[in-house]
Amino acid sequence: FNEDRILELPVKSKKIIKQNRYFNFLVLSNQGKILIQQRIEKDIWQHLFQFPLIESKNQLLTKEELPKEVINHVSCINESRVYYQLLTHRKIHAKFFEIEYIDFNTSKDCIFVELAELNKYGFPKIIKDYLSEKYPMVEMDDNILINASFLPNEVLVEMIKSLEKNQAIFKD
């Protein structure tokens, strides 16, 4: 006010331009196992796991646009809906191609994981969203839900094993 700069202040910061990225994930499965790989690129998803990825430039692929080396070795391809994840500088568009493969050459950084074991691996949020929609938790008589703030130890494991139906353990 004293310096007669009212119209100049506050200075607007530059608007962040979000870059669109298009991820086409190949969910390759055979005999109850799914192929995953660990991300090694230095980005926010480094060390997390993902399905084999084909990144496209301007839009997501359709199953007809998948590379021939993928299409030639499969018995079934299903296409998921489009998933989105907003990051500070990026908008991720993702589609998941669920593929029953017959014979597929895999790189050495890929591993086969039982479907029931997928929850032991860390995935980016967009893949977790897909997995939780594709394989929702089914409430059953033997479900055990554990608050993630507790680290399991032998005493806690024994307490859990001794629980009967509709019992719970509470912290005082």
Side-chain angles (χ1 to χ4, degrees), residues 109-144:
D109 63 337
C110 292
I111 57 173
F112 290 96
V113 178
E114 296 283 341
L115 183 60
E117 302 290 314
L118 281 177
N119 62 348
K120 294 182 179 181
Y121 296 88
F123 291 97
K125 182 184 180 309
I126 200 162
I127 296 177
K128 284 184 191 178
D129 290 347
Y130 162 77
L131 288 171
S132 64
E133 188 174 299
K134 178 74 178 166
Y135 306 105
M137 184 183 97
V138 178
E139 284 202 39
M140 300 175 72
D141 290 339
D142 59 351
N143 283 6
I144 298 175

Side-chain angles (χ1 to χ4, degrees), residues 23-159:
F23 291 173
N24 303 278
F25 289 106
L26 306 178
V27 185
L28 299 163
S29 62
N30 188 343
Q31 299 177 358
K33 292 187 176 184
I34 294 181
L35 193 69
I36 62 173
Q37 62 187 157
Q38 191 169 27
R39 289 183 64 91
I40 53 174
E41 295 89 16
K42 290 189 183 256
D43 61 13
I44 63 167
W45 291 355
Q46 185 178 19
H47 301 302
L48 293 177
F49 286 84
Q50 68 180 17
F51 302 111
L53 171 66
I54 298 172
E55 185 169 356
S56 48
K57 292 192 185 290
N58 298 317
Q59 64 184 21
L60 292 168
L61 301 175
T62 64
K63 64 183 177 182
E64 292 79 22
E65 297 171 315
L66 289 174
K68 286 185 177 25
E69 59 268 15
V70 172
I71 297 172
N72 291 342
H73 300 281
V74 301
S75 63
C76 178
I77 300 177
N78 293 317
E79 217 172 301
S80 77
R81 69 173 181 82
V82 177
Y83 291 80
Y84 300 96
Q85 182 175 354
L86 293 174
L87 303 172
T88 310
H89 292 82
R90 290 186 175 83
K91 181 176 183 180
I92 307 294
H93 307 252
K95 194 184 286 186
F96 297 84
F97 294 91
E98 300 157 359
I99 301 171
E100 278 289 325
Y101 73 95
I102 300 164
D103 180 31
F104 197 80
N105 293 332
T106 61
S107 63
K108 61 184 176 199
D109 63 337
C110 292
I111 57 173
F112 290 96
V113 178
E114 296 283 341
L115 183 60
E117 302 290 314
L118 281 177
N119 62 348
K120 294 182 179 181
Y121 296 88
F123 291 97
K125 182 184 180 309
I126 200 162
I127 296 177
K128 284 184 191 178
D129 290 347
Y130 162 77
L131 288 171
S132 64
E133 188 174 299
K134 178 74 178 166
Y135 306 105
M137 184 183 97
V138 178
E139 284 202 39
M140 300 175 72
D141 290 339
D142 59 351
N143 283 6
I144 298 175
L145 303 176
I146 301 174
N147 183 327
S149 65
F150 288 96
L151 290 176
N153 59 29
E154 291 178 20
V155 174
L156 181 59
V157 170
E158 289 305 315
M159 290 172 70

